[in-house]
Amino acid sequence: MSVRYTPVSWTPFKWWFDAALLAGVALYLWVFTWLARGGLDEATVAIRARGTLAFILLTLALAIGPLARLDRRFLPLLYNRRHLGVITALVAASHAMAVLDWHFAYSPTPPWLAVLVSEPGVTQWPGTPFIPFGIMALLILAVLAATSHDFWLAFLGPPLWKAIHMSLYLAYALVVAHVAFGQLQAATQPGLAVLVALGAGGLIFLHLAAALRGEAWTAIAAPEAPWLIVGHARDIADGRAVVMRPAGAEAVAVFRNGQALSAISHLCAHQNGPLGEGRVLDGCVTCPWHGFQYRLEDGRAPPPFTEKVATYRLRLMGDQVWLDPRPNPPGTYVEPLRA
Amino acid sequence: MNDEFFIGWQKRPPPRLGRFLAMVAGGLVLGMAALGLALGSADEPGGPDFAAIGAGAALPDTAEMSGVVTLLPYPVLHRADGRPVLLGGDGKRGAGIPPGLDGQVATARGYVQQRGSIGMLVLDAPPVAERPGTPPPVQALGRWRITGEICDGKCAAGSMVAGTGLAHRACATLCLSGELPAILVSAAPVFGQSFMLLAGPDGGPLPETLRPLIGLRVSMEGALEWRGNLLVFRADPAAARTP
Ligand code: FES
């Protein structure tokens, strides 16, 4: 879809999304600070406001994926999740800076050293150090924010890029540990505990619900190996796909475009988005995540774009569609099935 | 099922989806405000209520004051009006007072941090000795077990609020490494005091072995004594524990 790399290709929708996000961020910090003004010193209020905000944003970033699976109307948010990720990393960094500038400044020991050596040994309980968890989470967020751009996606390749970006879950676990071994140990108010429990619990619930709602069709072996039975041709709606998950192989999307049936990889060449949840527009499968397009017959993006995905062979047996789960090299032409 | 399909690079979503997304955006903004409200107001109050205990008369903000200096376990200026003031340096540094000043009547200048009965004079310059003085009398109070938190006398005196608690422990550790006075903020007032200056069994500064307990709720045993109007607790490291 894109052969040039621009920093961000802005659309009015992205502007609105980012505007809403930044408004939410500003409002949160303002309300938190304004309310907490009474007791604590200013720097401590800033540390707590930014820390809790980073946790909330990280929770939202991880919730968008399963939400979009559960309700497709959330899909457009996936499109802009990277901006949310970058803002989260910036808020987390500003939390860390506020801590360095307050708890670790004004000392003969340099702040970066002090932050590493001021807590006792890891094995201590109670009093297990909690700062290292936060530092590790921040490092992960920084790496993810820095590699969030399409350049890195192309440079590393979608599978590696996606694997690296899955470490967001590790970052979340580290943040929970950072709070649990830190501020929660001394908490006399329930606010933070409720936030962490609802955030982490909500995420687990959403992910389970999305996983249970897998929309893939079960692959049934046809009488003749290696073919799999997809099902009745008429059950595939026009412009849509059914997704098959053959055992031990990549998922396949079987699309209908009018009378023609074609099978291509379920994984988009961009970020491994779910092509089978996309639609046929202008004769091309359109990825629901960022709108990359692929021709049905050869899995290639229309020129001038160069992305391509694997295609698969289909066969009609009576009114049943069969699929050969062995992928053709990406971009291989396969004559569509008429049914 | 809603069959509208929006591709991110399209200028704007189709109408029904657009309305849904506008609602999500509005919900996000309002939700963030509500969360800020809930968490900001539910945040920990500014430290334990020791700020309300034993304050006595307020010390002036910026001050030149004189009194008898004692250096162990940490530098203290015992003012003529009976009010003890801890001495500290700039930032996370101790007062760095030359040993010759111990027991001298001296004049010190700086600014004052005060919270409850804890007061600290943060020195602008080393105190100037005037003449030999008489250190305040020591009155032994016997052996005590006291529960509280080990922290530094500067943050607890109001340089930071909260200035105590687990999230502050690395800061307190750093302050104590910089030789600021170690204190025990007790969970309940002792002789009307919210805190006591901490010493090792020998009367010197906080033993290194107690370092891992900084910032935690600890129960400590040792000899308690008055030095003038200041409580000093000579804690026995072997008997310290987290309850
Ligand atoms: S994953 Fe980005 S367009 Fe498909």
Side-chain angles (χ1 to χ4, degrees):
Chain A
M1 185 64 207
S2 163
V3 281
R4 284 172 303 118
Y5 299 110
T6 44
V8 177
S9 23
W10 291 101
T11 63
F13 175 69
K14 280 195 189 180
W15 280 112
W16 278 109
F17 178 92
D18 285 4
L21 200 56
L22 291 175
V25 163
L27 212 55
Y28 179 88
L29 291 176
W30 185 74
V31 172
F32 191 110
T33 309
W34 171 66
L35 266 177
R37 234 173 3 183
L40 301 164
D41 66 57
E42 240 172 69
T44 302
V45 172
I47 289 169
R48 294 186 184 182
R50 295 173 195 182
T52 48
L53 177 60
F55 177 81
I56 293 168
L57 293 176
L58 196 55
T59 307
L60 285 180
L62 286 172
I64 290 178
L67 271 179
R69 288 200 73 93
L70 290 168
D71 184 336
R72 299 172 54 91
R73 290 178 299 172
F74 285 104
L75 267 173
L77 299 184
L78 263 185
Y79 193 72
N80 274 29
R81 188 165 49 172
R82 286 193 228 182
H83 293 201
L84 174 56
V86 171
I87 291 174
T88 306
L90 289 175
V91 171
S94 78
H95 164 73
M97 289 310 296
V99 174
L100 279 183
D101 276 353
W102 193 228
H103 285 182
F104 296 102
Y106 317 114
S107 147
T109 317
W112 61 269
L113 182 62
V115 78
L116 297 174
V117 301
S118 303
E119 285 188 301
V122 240
T123 51
Q124 188 182 332
W125 175 261
T128 311
F130 69 99
I131 296 174
F133 293 115
I135 295 177
M136 285 188 280
L138 182 61
L139 288 178
I140 293 178
L141 289 180
V143 168
L144 297 195
T147 59
S148 72
H149 195 265
D150 269 358
F151 166 76
W152 286 99
L153 181 62
F155 183 72
L156 300 167
L160 179 57
W161 187 88
K162 212 172 173 179
I164 293 175
H165 281 243
M166 288 303 268
S167 60
L168 196 56
Y169 287 96
L170 176 61
Y172 195 80
L174 289 168
V175 167
V176 170
H178 176 62
V179 181
F181 288 116
Q183 186 64 8
L184 271 189
Q185 294 293 321
T188 55
Q189 306 281 317
L192 192 62
V194 171
L195 175 73
V196 173
L198 284 183
L203 274 188
I204 292 172
F205 172 79
L206 278 177
H207 279 81
L208 284 179
L212 287 176
R213 227 192 110 168
E215 279 177 34
W217 289 19
T218 330
I220 304 165
E224 203 179 305
W227 292 91
L228 302 173
I229 299 175
V230 176
H232 291 294
R234 61 170 182 276
D235 291 344
I236 306 174
D238 190 20
R240 308 283 293 264
V242 299
V243 179
M244 306 284 301
R245 293 188 196 277
E250 293 290 4
V252 181
V254 183
F255 272 95
R256 173 182 289 283
N257 184 20
Q259 294 302 308
L261 293 178
S262 298
I264 64 170
S265 168
H266 177 54
L267 298 181
C268 179
H270 179 220
Q271 270 181 37
N272 285 3
L275 279 183
E277 292 171 22
R279 306 287 171 82
V280 180
L281 293 179
D282 307 324
C284 288
V285 171
T286 307
C287 178
W289 280 12
H290 314 94
F292 279 38
Q293 292 190 305
Y294 305 91
R295 289 193 301 241
L296 278 164
E297 60 278 14
D298 58 7
R300 288 173 187 265
F305 306 114
T306 53
E307 283 80 12
K308 49 193 181 198
V309 294
T311 55
Y312 293 81
R313 293 194 302 147
L314 291 175
R315 172 200 260 195
L316 195 63
M317 298 298 282
D319 61 351
Q320 271 187 348
V321 180
W322 288 16
L323 166 77
D324 179 351
R326 296 168 304 178
N328 294 316
T332 307
Y333 178 86
V334 176
E335 182 66 28
L337 204 63
R338 305 260 145 211
Chain B
M1 173 163 186
N2 183 340
D3 220 40
E4 286 177 334
F5 185 63
F6 171 61
I7 313 156
W9 40 258
Q10 284 172 336
K11 284 230 175 334
R12 35 180 52 84
R16 252 191 311 159
L17 187 59
R19 276 195 300 279
F20 173 75
L21 292 173
M23 269 164 50
V24 171
L28 176 79
V29 175
L30 290 180
M32 293 297 280
L35 275 173
L37 204 71
L39 288 163
S41 60
D43 200 15
E44 303 297 316
D49 47 10
F50 68 78
I53 298 164
L59 293 160
D61 272 355
T62 331
E64 180 175 273
M65 47 178 86
S66 58
V68 179
V69 173
T70 54
L71 293 185
L72 284 178
Y74 295 98
V76 177
L77 187 75
H78 299 270
R79 288 158 42 110
D81 64 1
R83 175 87 192 247
V85 177
L86 308 178
L87 297 175
D90 191 37
K92 292 179 191 295
R93 289 180 177 84
I97 295 177
L101 242 62
D102 199 13
Q104 299 280 313
V105 174
T107 305
R109 287 183 50 87
Y111 69 91
V112 167
Q113 293 280 322
Q114 188 183 3
R115 197 166 170 213
S117 53
I118 309 177
M120 173 176 276
L121 182 67
V122 181
L123 298 175
D124 286 344
V128 180
E130 287 167 4
R131 54 190 149 83
T134 317
V138 175
Q139 183 195 347
L141 298 165
R143 217 172 152 76
W144 283 65
R145 176 162 281 283
I146 302 174
T147 301
E149 178 186 329
I150 304 172
C151 51
D152 66 284
K154 189 172 186 182
C155 290
S159 281
M160 287 190 189
V161 186
T164 55
L166 193 101
H168 176 263
R169 73 185 306 219
C171 177
T173 308
L174 209 53
C175 285
L176 295 185
S177 303
E179 296 178 353
L180 279 164
I183 63 170
L184 182 73
V185 170
S186 71
V190 178
F191 293 106
Q193 300 292 303
S194 60
F195 83 104
M196 50 220 69
L197 201 56
L198 266 180
D202 58 353
L206 184 79
E208 196 56 23
T209 45
L210 285 172
R211 215 177 130 94
L213 299 181
I214 296 169
L216 304 176
R217 193 179 169 85
V218 283
S219 162
M220 316 239 285
E221 206 179 297
L224 189 65
E225 62 197 32
W226 280 115
R227 296 207 194 153
N229 291 321
L230 180 69
L231 280 178
V232 176
F233 189 37
R234 295 176 180 223
D236 174 6
R241 55 171 189 259
T242 50

